[in-house]
């Protein structure tokens, strides 16, 4: 699977990679994030960003449709890094706060929420992109 670096008319290039929708893709996603952040001189974000992308990929592996996902790392502004996972499901992830449940899974968005400055979901006719933004140092 190859990495795509997309030039922008202004600012930093965006990085993306199509991956199989399997748990092992989280490792490839972390590598893509580390590569992009190192290229942008944002090494201080790598640890948090790696945790965030792992959770976003994990959610897509568990809930998306079809066999592939796309991991996207962009700089929407000089002060932000955006991590996203695109898939073909229109189901929107939600933040689970039911602390009395016996289920130990499904609380990854709490971690994402704690580590990022903003998160959201962009809906498309054919699917969605779940994303989180971290402020640059």
């Amino acid at each position: 699977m190859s990495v795509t670096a997309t030039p922008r008319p202004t600012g930093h290039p965006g990085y993306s990679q199509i991956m199989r929708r399997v748990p092992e893709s989280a490792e490839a996603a972390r590598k893509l994030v580390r590569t992009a952040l190192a290229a942008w001189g944002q090494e201080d974000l790598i640890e948090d960003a790696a945790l965030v992308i792992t959770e976003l990929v994990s959610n897509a592996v568990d809930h998306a449709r079809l066999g592939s996902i796309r991991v996207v790392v962009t700089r929407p502004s000089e002060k932000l890094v955006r991590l996203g996972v695109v898939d073909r499901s229109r189901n929107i992830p939600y933040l689970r706060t039911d602390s009395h449940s016996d289920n130990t899974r499904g609380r990854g968005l709490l971690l994402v929420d704690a580590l990022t400055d903003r998160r959201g979901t962009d809906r498309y006719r054919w699917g969605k992109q779940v994303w989180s933004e971290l402020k640059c140092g």
Side-chain angles (χ1 to χ4, degrees):
M1 310 233 173
S2 65
V3 174
T4 303
T6 307
R8 306 265 191 254
T10 60
H12 300 277
Y15 293 82
S16 70
Q17 185 174 353
I18 296 173
M19 301 178 186
R20 293 183 318 135
R21 190 175 57 86
V22 295
E24 296 79 14
S25 290
E27 184 177 341
R30 288 189 296 271
K31 184 177 178 182
L32 179 68
V33 167
R34 282 192 299 270
T35 298
L37 292 176
W40 297 330
Q42 298 297 321
E43 289 87 354
D44 57 319
L45 295 179
I46 288 176
E47 190 173 320
D48 287 352
L51 289 170
V52 168
I53 202 65
T54 298
E55 289 299 329
L56 296 182
V57 168
S58 178
N59 281 347
V61 167
D62 289 348
H63 303 292
R65 298 181 355 202
L66 301 181
S68 66
I69 58 175
R70 177 181 290 272
V71 175
V72 181
V73 187
T74 60
R75 294 280 302 269
S77 76
E78 201 60 33
K79 296 180 181 184
L80 293 173
V81 169
R82 180 180 278 200
L83 311 173
V85 176
V86 179
D87 67 62
R88 295 255 181 207
S89 170
R90 295 207 46 172
N91 295 333
I92 303 300
Y94 65 95
L95 192 63
R96 284 185 63 176
T97 58
D98 56 337
S99 60
H100 301 298
S101 172
D102 290 335
N103 190 354
T104 59
R105 294 190 39 89
R107 292 188 185 82
L109 286 180
L110 286 171
L111 176 65
V112 170
D113 206 44
L115 294 175
T116 61
D117 294 288
R118 198 169 77 117
R119 65 178 183 82
T121 303
D122 294 338
R123 286 184 138 177
Y124 307 120
R125 181 178 44 82
W126 46 264
K128 67 179 175 303
Q129 178 177 180
V130 178
W131 54 266
S132 292
E133 291 177 342
L134 293 93
K135 286 188 181 169
C136 297

